């Protein structure tokens, strides 16, 4: 943990421990342990003890283990980000069903991401519109009403880029969304990084770029058709993660995360 400026955060539960073990193995094989830490977030002490010895562990406080709204994963992520924000310059959220697939310069990727200020989005096919509209609508609710109209893009952003947080703006982010008051009420649709991307659009001058591909949900997380490629624009984009479904199509020297390995 000494002198590292970047950390990954991975919430998990007992039934995903095998995925986490594979994730940790890929983390070390690709030498990310020299650049970063990888924190595992457990729901309770019993889970943590069952997992076994590991240096970078976080255990969710008992009062935040709230499952009624289906938002427990989002709660764990937001709580962990707040817990670790003073230790690092960048925090990157990943799911346990993820693998590192090649070494990259993480600091270079993080700095370029916040210098470029571009979020990748895609149009949604009719079969995915209800779900994605619910996600976008619920995430907007955390911002002042007079700003929500500025978040009206038809493009869907989730998992088209890694969930990279810049810790220097997290205090402002948490204050704007009133995290201390609202964390316990976060629901399934309020994806942690979708909320942060809205913050980046409203307050950090990020723009959204159309990947010119249509999918039922995020293009880079797609695991099946329908999948409509309208142009070859994606070949010129800085795509950093992908499901196996699109790995051959999107693969490039900076793509370092394989996601949704549980859906292979």
């Amino acid at each position: 943990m000494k002198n590292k400026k970047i950390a990954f955060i991975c919430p998990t539960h007992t039934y995903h421990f095998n995925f986490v073990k594979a994730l940790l193995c890929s983390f070390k094989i690709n030498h990310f342990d020299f650049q970063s830490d990888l924190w595992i977030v457990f729901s309770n002490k019993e889970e943590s003890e069952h997992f076994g010895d590991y240096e970078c562990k976080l255990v969710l406080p008992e009062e935040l283990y709230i499952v009624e709204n289906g938002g427990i994963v989002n709660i764990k992520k937001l709580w962990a980000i707040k817990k670790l924000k003073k230790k690092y310059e960048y925090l990157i959220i990943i799911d346990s069903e993820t693998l590192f697939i090649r070494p990259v310069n993480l600091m270079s990727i993080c700095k370029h991401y916040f210098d470029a200020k571009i979020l990748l989005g895609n149009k949604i096919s009719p079969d995915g519109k209800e779900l994605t509209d619910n996600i976008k609508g619920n995430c907007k609710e955390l911002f002042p009403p007079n700003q929500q109209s500025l978040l009206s893009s038809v493009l869907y952003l989730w998992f088209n880029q890694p969930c990279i947080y810049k810790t220097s703006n997290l205090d402002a982010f948490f204050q704007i969304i009133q995290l201390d008051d609202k964390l316990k009420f976060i629901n399934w649709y309020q994806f942690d990084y979708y909320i942060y991307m809205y913050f980046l659009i409203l307050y950090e001058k990020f723009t959204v770029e159309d990947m010119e591909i249509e999918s039922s949900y995020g293009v880079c997380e797609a695991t099946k058709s329908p999948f409509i490629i309208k142009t070859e624009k994606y070949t010129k984009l800085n795509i950093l993660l992908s499901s196996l479904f699109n790995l051959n199509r999107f693969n490039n020297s900076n793509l370092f995360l394989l996601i949704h390995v549980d859906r292979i």
Side-chain angles (χ1 to χ4, degrees):
M1 289 189 286
K2 188 176 180 180
N3 298 326
K4 293 175 183 174
K5 297 181 179 181
I6 301 171
F8 291 89
I9 297 172
C10 176
T12 193
H13 55 84
T14 304
Y15 297 107
H16 275 188
F17 282 0
N18 286 339
F19 289 119
V20 177
K21 300 289 187 181
L23 171 65
L24 288 171
C25 183
S26 71
F27 180 74
K28 292 181 178 180
I29 287 174
N30 289 285
H31 309 299
F32 284 94
D33 53 328
F34 293 105
Q35 305 181 62
S36 59
D37 295 321
L38 200 169
W39 289 84
I40 310 299
V41 187
F42 300 91
S43 301
N44 51 57
K45 290 181 180 179
E46 291 74 21
E47 269 191 356
S48 175
E49 291 171 359
H50 183 210
F51 185 80
D53 292 336
Y54 182 68
E55 184 178 9
C56 297
K57 284 184 175 183
L58 290 174
V59 177
L60 188 73
E62 186 176 349
E63 65 271 18
L64 289 177
Y65 185 73
I66 300 165
V67 298
E68 287 77 10
N69 294 327
I72 184 62
V73 174
N74 302 325
I75 291 172
K76 288 166 78 172
K77 291 176 179 179
L78 289 165
W79 171 80
I81 293 164
K82 186 177 181 184
K83 184 81 172 176
L84 295 174
K85 65 184 173 65
K86 293 183 179 180
K87 295 180 179 288
Y88 302 94
E89 291 184 19
Y90 298 97
L91 297 170
I92 306 173
I93 295 284
I94 53 176
D95 291 334
S96 52
E97 316 93 272
T98 303
L99 292 173
F100 296 89
I101 60 172
R102 64 162 52 88
V104 294
N105 185 324
L106 278 177
M107 184 57 74
S108 175
I109 281 176
C110 291
K111 285 184 175 179
H112 179 268
Y113 183 75
F114 281 91
D115 286 343
K117 298 182 181 292
I118 293 172
L119 300 170
L120 301 180
N122 61 273
K123 290 187 172 66
I124 294 295
S125 54
D127 62 311
K129 195 171 187 309
E130 181 179 0
L131 174 60
T132 56
D133 280 354
N134 278 335
I135 292 166
K136 292 192 288 185
N138 274 266
C139 292
K140 286 181 191 178
E141 290 178 0
L142 289 154
F143 294 91
N146 64 341
Q147 294 181 327
Q148 293 179 20
S149 62
L150 302 174
L151 303 171
S152 58
S153 173
V154 298
L155 301 177
Y156 186 67
L157 309 176
W158 182 248
F159 266 167
N160 284 332
Q161 43 267 312
C163 303
I164 307 174
Y165 292 83
K166 189 174 185 178
T167 58
S168 62
N169 63 30
L170 285 179
D171 284 341
F173 171 58
F174 291 149
Q175 182 177 3
I176 288 163
I177 67 169
Q178 302 176 44
L179 184 69
D180 289 343
D181 295 330
K182 295 183 178 179
L183 183 58
K184 290 183 177 181
F185 305 101
I186 292 290
N187 64 44
W188 186 91
Y189 295 100
Q190 290 171 319
F191 292 3
D192 63 296
Y193 200 69
Y194 219 114
I195 301 167
Y196 185 69
M197 287 190 287
Y198 277 163
F199 166 81
L200 294 177
I201 292 168
L202 290 172
Y203 299 96
E204 297 290 331
K205 299 181 179 179
F206 272 60
T207 59
V208 178
E209 185 162 354
D210 189 352
M211 299 178 73
E212 298 181 5
I213 302 176
E214 185 176 299
S215 178
S216 304
Y217 37 96
V219 161
C220 294
E221 68 167 333
T223 56
K224 60 181 180 179
S225 296
F227 192 84
I228 303 169
I229 299 175
K230 298 182 178 180
T231 73
E232 297 296 303
K233 182 179 180 179
Y234 70 88
T235 62
K236 300 177 182 179
L237 299 175
N238 186 36
I239 296 176
L240 302 173
L241 79 174
S242 178
S243 64
L244 185 63
F245 178 74
N246 274 318
L247 183 59
N248 288 337
R249 179 177 288 115
F250 294 152
N251 206 4
N252 67 82
S253 61
N254 286 328
L255 197 159
F256 69 102
L257 290 174
L258 179 66
I259 61 175
H260 294 333
V261 298
D262 56 324
R263 303 179 193 180
I264 294 175

